[in-house]
Amino acid sequence: MTQDELKQAVAEAAVKYILPMLEDDTIVGVGTGSTANLFIDELAKYKNDFDGTVASSKASAERLNKHGIPVYELNGVGNIRVYVDGADESNEYLHLIKGGGAALTREKIVAACSEEFVCIADESKMVKVLGDFPLPVEVIPMARGYVARELVKLGGDPVYREGVITDNGNQILDVYNLDILNPAELEKSIDGIVGVVTNGLFAKRPADVLLLATKEGVKTLKR
Ligand code: 5RP
């Protein structure tokens, strides 16, 4: 199976997983990226079976709108029943690295507001120790140099993601060579640097469920 076929399989599995949660008043949180896009396309088949969505990026909101799926502002909704999103890496505790698509801040906000976070990924994303994928950090533009110097003190090699402006008008530093043995502690330390909006570690609020597409089928991993 190709990686694209694995992503399609996990997108279908995610819709099957959330089907019992869909009722007239259900709000679904929707993530960002190529796997989330396939999820959106599958979810569209059931668009009359739930209320609507909250999107973690402008790109996902646009795709949802094209399918005729309602997209609400987060401040306008109460409970988000379930949030479905991809990841760049996951460890066995369902701590994640996210932000390859620069949507980490809105993704973290929607995840925080959701009753259940279902991560969808193909098996290439599963790792023993997080950090092979460079950790994205969203920064206020004027603080970029300062934040980069502080990240070096933490042992990382930050690289400015040139030409990328986030949906919040900020910039991204991708931090290479971090030894992420304690994801929750590092998440907190990086968030403590003045000028950091958020970082792509999802350890304080990990996924609750990981649907992992493998060549043997989609596996369900729980914390
Ligand atoms: C976007 C993300 C994505 O979930 C992550 O990059 C995975 O993307 P893909 O499904 O395309 O591999 O965090 O900010």
Side-chain angles (χ1 to χ4, degrees), residues 161-217:
R161 202 185 292 180
E162 285 194 49
V164 172
I165 302 289
T166 70
D167 284 352
N168 314 305
N170 298 314
Q171 297 174 341
I172 299 283
L173 291 169
D174 291 308
V175 191
Y176 290 77
N177 302 321
L178 281 171
D179 222 359
I180 310 183
L181 297 173
N182 189 335
E185 197 178 281
L186 185 63
E187 181 177 4
K188 199 170 153 199
S189 303
I190 295 177
D191 279 348
I193 301 170
V194 173
V196 168
V197 178
T198 195
N199 73 83
L201 277 169
F202 284 56
K204 274 185 285 176
R205 203 290 181 238
D208 299 302
V209 177
L210 171 62
L211 298 178
L212 189 71
T214 74
K215 290 182 181 65
E216 294 77 45

Side-chain angles (χ1 to χ4, degrees), residues 3-91:
Q3 193 180 27
D4 285 348
E5 286 168 339
L6 291 173
K7 287 182 181 187
Q8 179 61 33
V10 81
E12 289 171 18
V15 169
K16 212 178 269 174
Y17 183 87
I18 69 163
L19 270 187
M21 305 175 197
L22 300 185
E23 291 176 5
D24 287 351
D25 60 351
T26 304
I27 303 288
V28 178
V30 176
T32 299
S34 57
T35 319
N37 280 345
L38 295 171
F39 168 72
I40 291 171
D41 298 345
E42 285 302 309
L43 186 65
K45 297 174 186 166
Y46 300 90
K47 66 180 175 189
N48 297 321
D49 297 350
F50 62 102
D51 184 352
T53 59
V54 169
S56 67
S57 64
K58 291 179 183 170
S60 291
E62 208 172 289
R63 197 174 185 101
L64 288 158
N65 279 325
K66 274 193 188 141
H67 280 296
I69 301 174
V71 181
Y72 299 118
E73 289 296 324
L74 179 58
N75 288 321
V77 302
N79 183 45
I80 298 177
R81 175 63 189 87
V82 62
Y83 176 51
V84 180
D85 196 2
D88 299 301
E89 279 185 354
S90 174
N91 67 15

